[in-house]
Amino acid sequence: MDVHVIDHPLAQARLTAMRDARTDSPSFRAALRELTTMLVYEAARSFPVEKYPIQTPVTATEGTRLANPPLLVPVLRAGLGMADAALGLLPESSMGFVGLARDEETFEPRAYMESLPRVLTGLPVLVLDPMLATGGSLEHCCRLLADRGCTDITVLCVLAAPVGIERLERSGLPLRLVTASIDEGLNDRMFIVPGLGDAGDRQFGGM
Ligand code: PRP
């Protein structure tokens, strides 16, 4: 599995704001939006493009556009905070939704919503979720996509734990990962360490 870490000063500064426990919800959401723009920008570097004729004020020339804009799939709740920034850079994209909540005892994901096109053959997908911890949630989400025929999945995360990356690698699913950090590991509550806490709670408040 291809894993790309965005080691850029601006990305790392936004990540630091998100890690800092003193950052309030509005500032956390703003940092997540800005970091998402950078993650999408990096992920899109390898997207295929097509040429088409345009006219500048001076002459005829060739323009460039994405050949196949991806479907965006934020994983609720926390991925919702990445959706608007991703759609801002990819305005031609459609959006699907997957709702998952991690069980606090088994740490396995419980699916509570799924709104996806029935067939995804030939359509690349960008999955948006700030956190890859045990990997259970993203494996579940990516399997839903692969079951619909998707063979080109890019997962965008703010933070990834090594054990979660290994789980996605073992899954054999057709995906690559773009993240701002690979953190040290997980604690006994399966929170990423050093991490940033619970990305859903920090954006939207505790449930
Ligand atoms: C968090 C996070 C991921 C998942 C990561 O969501 O946004 O979806 O946990 O954990 P995993 O890799 O161990 O599966 P959570 O279940 O807390 O739901 P929320 O987004 O509604 O807060």
Side-chain angles (χ1 to χ4, degrees), residues 112-132:
Y112 60 84
M113 202 196 73
E114 196 181 300
S115 173
L116 294 169
R118 204 167 46 83
V119 177
L120 291 171
T121 313
L123 187 61
V125 176
L126 270 192
V127 176
L128 311 172
D129 190 336
M131 316 288 282
L132 171 61

Side-chain angles (χ1 to χ4, degrees), residues 17-148:
M18 294 178 69
R19 288 192 192 280
D20 192 332
R22 295 168 308 177
T23 300
D24 62 11
S25 288
S27 303
F28 186 93
R29 292 193 299 265
L32 177 58
R33 277 196 302 274
E34 290 167 2
L35 185 50
T36 300
T37 299
M38 300 176 208
L39 291 166
V40 172
Y41 182 81
E42 275 303 313
R45 205 177 275 284
S46 58
F47 286 1
V49 295
E50 62 188 14
K51 301 288 184 187
Y52 68 108
I54 61 161
Q55 184 81 35
T56 76
V58 179
T59 186
T61 186
E62 253 188 350
T64 301
R65 62 188 169 204
L66 291 187
N68 197 9
L71 176 75
L72 305 177
V73 178
V75 179
L76 311 186
R77 280 180 308 164
L80 266 185
M82 303 172 76
D84 191 52
L87 200 54
L89 279 194
L90 298 165
E92 318 84 352
S93 285
S94 304
M95 201 174 279
F97 301 88
V98 173
L100 300 175
R102 201 173 67 166
D103 185 290
E104 284 177 14
E105 279 164 21
T106 66
F107 306 115
E108 284 300 309
R110 181 178 55 79
Y112 60 84
M113 202 196 73
E114 196 181 300
S115 173
L116 294 169
R118 204 167 46 83
V119 177
L120 291 171
T121 313
L123 187 61
V125 176
L126 270 192
V127 176
L128 311 172
D129 190 336
M131 316 288 282
L132 171 61
T134 68
S137 303
L138 278 169
E139 183 182 3
H140 182 93
C141 176
C142 294
R143 215 170 276 293
L144 290 177
L145 301 170
D147 287 348
R148 286 166 164 77

